[in-house]
Amino acid sequence: MSVSLRLPTLLALLAMSLPVLPVTAAEAPASRQIEVQASASIDVLPDRATLNAVLVEATPLVEMGGQHDNDATTSAREKLEKRSTALIKALRKMGIDNDHLHAGNLSVYNEQQLQGDDQAAPLKERVVIERKLDIDVNDLTALPGIIDALFTNGIDRLEGIRYDVSDREGVEDKALKQALARAHQKAELMANALSVTLGDVERIQETRSPVLRPMMMATARTEQADSATYTPGTIIVDAGVLVNWSLDASPTKNTN
């Protein structure tokens, strides 16, 4: 039995039997994009601060390895508690409530000291008891007065002043918006210079997340304290972005 196939049917069968070859990169339509990287930096005036004050008491020095007087340790702790209570009362009189005043737990450790310049002399040690107080200040005009009150009430160290802003998210969003606006400005500048037209945004990526880093002032001891020197500067917030735009197929004339 013989089967005859017409030409159109034969050609269709041959086409179905041929392998499908992938489109090579050279044959694929070229991607028309422009990639722009931009950053922005803004300066912000702080509007709040946190003070880190420390009260310290210590027992008399004894030779290394010697017996510590338990009564001396108890006396030092009681003296520290009394001073802490007096300081907290003074701060409350200035209008600082419990929500803005954080008293830490007692910290107890042994401190070793070398007496004089004689390296051969035996080391002496003592028990040191500390308590830290963190004071949140939402009105920076009150800061000098609070610092004066701290030293007037006998704090041993002011470990630092941490300046910050209350609207952190708003400041970080502002830096990010400025970085995006700068990226758009750069993309339009390049497109105009090359006589092409910007299309849709294809990809957006943060290259530097906008992070506000609070500013920390240096430490100070009682004899070095001067409230007039605690003036805030500005806090810098940086942000960076990487943006890809497609380019329209039809170029435009450069009117510049």
Side-chain angles (χ1 to χ4, degrees), residues 57-60 68-69 73 76 108-111 125-129:
E57 288 292 338
T59 62
H68 288 283
D69 186 353
T73 303
V108 182
Y109 60 92
N110 288 340
E111 181 183 70
E125 64 179 1
R126 62 181 181 174
V127 177
V128 179
I129 307 173

Side-chain angles (χ1 to χ4, degrees), residues 62-64 113-125:
V62 298
E63 287 193 4
M64 186 78 173
Q113 291 187 5
L114 179 65
Q115 300 303 298
D117 298 328
D118 186 2
Q119 300 294 325
L123 286 174
K124 290 192 174 183
E125 64 179 1

Side-chain angles (χ1 to χ4, degrees), residues 216-230:
M216 193 75 176
M217 297 293 290
T219 61
R221 292 185 180 275
T222 307
E223 63 272 14
Q224 300 170 334
D226 180 1
S227 62
T229 63
Y230 293 96

Side-chain angles (χ1 to χ4, degrees), residues 175-191:
L176 183 58
K177 287 179 180 178
Q178 287 194 12
L180 289 168
R182 177 56 180 156
H184 193 199
Q185 181 185 22
K186 289 173 66 176
E188 287 185 328
L189 176 66
M190 289 188 284

Side-chain angles (χ1 to χ4, degrees), residues 163-221:
Y163 289 103
D164 207 339
V165 295
S166 53
D167 185 17
R168 278 193 170 207
E169 289 187 1
V171 171
E172 293 171 358
D173 289 349
K174 183 179 178 181
L176 183 58
K177 287 179 180 178
Q178 287 194 12
L180 289 168
R182 177 56 180 156
H184 193 199
Q185 181 185 22
K186 289 173 66 176
E188 287 185 328
L189 176 66
M190 289 188 284
N192 289 334
L194 298 174
S195 299
V196 294
T197 304
L198 287 181
D200 296 329
V201 173
E202 300 291 337
R203 183 171 70 99
I204 304 176
Q205 177 184 342
E206 281 185 315
T207 58
R208 187 189 308 146
S209 297
V211 177
L212 187 148
R213 296 174 178 82
M215 184 170 48
M216 193 75 176
M217 297 293 290
T219 61
R221 292 185 180 275

